[in-house]
Amino acid sequence: MVRNETDGMAGGAPRTVVVTGGGTGIGRAVAARFAGAGDDVVIVGRRREVLRSTADALSAEYGRTVTPLACDLADPDDVEAALGRLPDRIDVLVNNAGSREVPAGAGPHAVLARWRGDFERNVLTAVLLTESVRDRLTPERGRVITVTSLAALRGGGSYGASKAALHAWNHSLAAQLGPQGVTCNIVAPGTVAGTEFFGARLNEAELTRRAGRTLVGRVGRPTDVAAAVVFLASPDAGFIAGEILQCNGGELLGR
């Protein structure tokens, strides 16, 4: 068993962590960090077999039970049905699920489909679940961490607009939950290789071009984003609330 010693566990007791979009990429890396710290992890997503494969692999590697939960987080009926399978107490909720709607054609109907699809995939997947389990968040040490994108700050059409909507929502959520000792923060990654987001577009030439836009000479890895999430979930981050932590290697400077 591999165990990463972190200060993410209050008093050494395992925390209960829910990670959406936990089957691949950033979500998988986040789940691995928490499982490696000895926490109990539930990974949520739409693809049952992908989730099961990831849960089995992480459970075997870290000696902790990682539980898969298939759910379409943009569907309120599916979210409602999943509530009985989610933990009664949640110490850390990581809203990582999201993707980009593939453009299809031109005209107002295509525009509507693209914008509505991006809103559902990126905003509703976070909001529906969080609002449904907010009473389960542990007082005084609960954490809600939402993964957005550099596009929310730099601009990026319907996808960037949907991620920016999460920034506004997070401010409200942080104000509502803060008096209970629950912090709500954002991690906004730049270009991250090793995910399904870019597909074939992120070839060697594009990787080189994007690496040149950073201050550190490389694009991000899922583990870079996972490290930022784990920090915001730690006791050391208990006085950070309503913030946007950019994790982009200097591709866009903070503001």
Side-chain angles (χ1 to χ4, degrees):
M1 179 180 72
V2 178
R3 183 177 175 84
N4 298 321
E5 293 300 329
T6 75
D7 55 4
M9 294 179 292
R15 295 176 299 178
T16 301
V17 181
V18 176
V19 182
T20 72
T24 62
I26 291 171
R28 178 177 177 138
V30 169
R33 282 292 302 266
F34 283 114
D39 294 319
D40 297 319
V41 182
V42 178
I43 55 174
V44 186
R46 290 182 297 175
R47 296 177 294 177
R48 191 179 306 274
E49 292 306 315
V50 171
L51 290 172
R52 169 55 62 188
S53 175
T54 295
D56 288 347
L58 295 182
S59 296
E61 182 173 0
Y62 296 110
R64 301 293 302 181
T65 299
V66 177
T67 304
L69 174 55
C71 177
D72 182 352
L73 293 168
D75 182 341
D77 292 330
D78 225 20
V79 172
E80 195 166 54
L83 293 178
R85 294 174 287 158
L86 285 165
D88 293 331
R89 175 183 59 80
I90 298 173
D91 297 307
V92 182
L93 172 60
V94 181
N95 292 311
N96 170 72
S99 61
R100 173 177 286 176
E101 182 72 17
V102 178
H109 290 287
V111 172
L112 175 61
R114 183 167 65 251
W115 280 76
R116 178 177 286 164
D118 276 336
F119 188 85
E120 290 178 352
R121 291 165 181 253
N122 296 292
V123 179
L124 293 186
T125 50
V127 173
L128 291 182
L129 179 63
T130 304
E131 294 294 339
S132 297
V133 302
R134 59 188 293 164
D135 292 340
R136 304 185 189 189
L137 296 167
T138 308
E140 303 306 325
R141 64 171 181 152
R143 302 282 189 265
V144 179
I145 301 156
T146 301
V147 179
T148 64
S149 170
L150 182 73
L153 300 165
R154 188 168 60 191
S158 55
Y159 175 75
S162 68
K163 291 296 191 181
L166 290 171
H167 291 187
W169 169 68
N170 182 72
H171 290 319
S172 299
L173 190 69
Q176 293 164 9
L177 297 182
Q180 303 169 29
V182 176
T183 65
C184 305
N185 292 289
I186 296 282
V187 175
T191 301
V192 178
T195 76
E196 299 177 340
F197 182 80
F198 293 101
R201 291 179 297 144
L202 201 60
N203 54 29
E204 286 302 317
E206 184 64 8
L207 277 171
T208 299
R209 186 183 75 84
R210 288 172 178 261
R213 299 194 311 206
T214 72
L215 301 182
V216 296
R218 67 170 178 87
V219 299
R221 310 179 184 100
T223 51
D224 294 321
V225 184
V229 170
V230 168
F231 164 67
L232 288 175
S234 73
D236 287 342
F239 200 56
I240 299 174
E243 289 293 342
I244 300 168
L245 174 58
Q246 293 196 54
C247 183
N248 60 42
E251 188 175 353
L252 179 70
L253 297 183
R255 64 172 186 260

